[in-house]
Amino acid sequence: EGFAKAVRQSQGLLLTDTTWRDAHQSLLATRVRTRDILAIAPLTSHVLGKCYSLENWGGATFDVCLRFLRECPWERLQQMREDVPNVPFQMLLRGANGVGYTNYPDNAVFKFCDVAVKNGMDVFRVFDSLNYMDNLKLGVDAVGAAGGVVEAAISYTGDISDPSKAKYTLDYYLDLARQLVECHIHVLCIKDMAGLLKPAAATTLISALRKEFPNLPIHVHTHDTAGTGVASMLACSAA
């Protein structure tokens, strides 16, 4: 709660750097090694010292470390934390799937989050690609029990600025947000993983969320797949 309150009280726009996780997961098949990350860690700690977070773990990094890079993902987290003690760390948690590709027992997800926090993780972006609330809630509960910052994500698709689209509407996203807020999340994320969020839709969505949840920090994540990412992020910040 204290972290969320401090974020909301911040006067400037806060940024997350995704270089150490989503950037190389999307562009380099998650093949950046621990030694490469540690080589730039001191400069990262200095230059990005005022960031909201560094997204640097979870997602596919755990699997790729073990299967392809022959590295220990836990040692990577520990070493990054040692070299960057001053910026919150953020990871991607796939709800009930943890950092894998199937549903895991509840106690396994709870234990994973507990160990992650103890090894230096701060913010957990919890998402489900289908916005399946049961999967999301398990991740939210696990992170909360571990003492981490719960950043619950709504996966964006469709186009709320197109009145002919009847399934993924503004009401659909607002209803999801209400359900997540009832789960006692700390931060709400709009996860635009396909780069579909247009500037006009971004203005509509973020304005509506801010009006209904004035005290809740809103974090927007996008991919510049369609070339409109920068414009959409500017629209979000203005909203």
Side-chain angles (χ1 to χ4, degrees):
E1 290 80 6
F3 179 88
K5 185 177 180 179
V7 168
R8 194 68 191 100
Q9 290 177 343
S10 174
Q11 297 301 307
L13 185 68
L14 296 175
L15 301 175
T16 290
D17 183 86
T18 65
T19 303
W20 291 356
R21 207 284 298 178
D22 204 10
H24 73 97
Q25 179 175 316
S26 298
L27 300 175
L28 300 172
T30 330
R31 294 307 197 268
V32 173
R33 296 178 180 273
T34 299
R35 66 169 181 260
D36 299 316
I37 292 174
L38 297 180
I40 61 171
L43 184 60
T44 299
S45 177
H46 174 70
V47 174
L48 301 180
K50 294 184 179 180
C51 274
Y52 166 85
S53 66
L54 298 178
E55 189 186 77
N56 60 0
W57 209 61
T61 63
F62 201 93
D63 165 59
V64 172
C65 271
L66 292 169
R67 289 206 297 156
F68 297 102
L69 301 181
R70 303 295 191 267
E71 296 182 351
C72 174
W74 295 107
E75 290 179 359
R76 172 182 289 195
L77 176 57
Q78 294 161 0
Q79 291 172 319
M80 290 189 296
R81 183 77 285 172
E82 182 177 352
D83 286 0
V84 186
N86 60 315
V87 187
F89 281 1
Q90 177 174 314
M91 70 165 289
L92 185 70
L93 184 77
R94 297 166 174 151
N97 292 3
V99 288
Y101 307 102
T102 187
N103 284 359
Y104 294 104
D106 292 7
N107 61 342
V109 178
F110 271 74
K111 185 63 176 179
F112 176 88
C113 293
D114 180 62
V115 176
V117 168
K118 289 177 179 176
N119 280 272
M121 188 49 57
D122 301 299
V123 182
F124 293 70
R125 175 175 291 165
V126 183
F127 100 111
D128 180 86
S129 61
L130 300 178
N131 293 325
Y132 181 48
M133 193 55 61
D134 287 348
N135 277 358
L136 287 166
K137 190 175 185 306
L138 173 61
V140 167
D141 291 345
V143 175
V149 176
V150 181
E151 181 179 298
I154 295 175
S155 297
Y156 180 85
T157 191
D159 181 8
I160 64 170
S161 63
D162 184 347
S164 69
K165 306 293 185 181
K167 184 172 178 60
Y168 300 107
T169 62
L170 177 61
D171 286 340
Y172 167 82
Y173 293 109
L174 288 176
D175 181 61
L176 281 173
R178 294 181 191 115
Q179 293 181 61
L180 289 171
V181 168
E182 289 178 359
C183 296
H184 307 292
I185 65 173
H186 303 127
V187 181
L188 177 67
C189 173
I190 301 301
K191 184 173 173 59
D192 178 32
M193 61 278 189
L196 298 176
L197 185 63
K198 298 177 182 178
T203 298
T204 300
L205 178 58
I206 302 305
S207 295
L209 289 170
R210 175 52 65 230
K211 181 178 180 180
E212 183 159 347
F213 308 106
N215 298 318
L216 183 68
I218 299 174
H219 195 176
V220 185
H221 170 86
T222 192
H223 288 237
D224 202 21
T225 312
T228 59
V230 173
S232 294
M233 293 304 97
L234 289 173
C236 289
S237 65

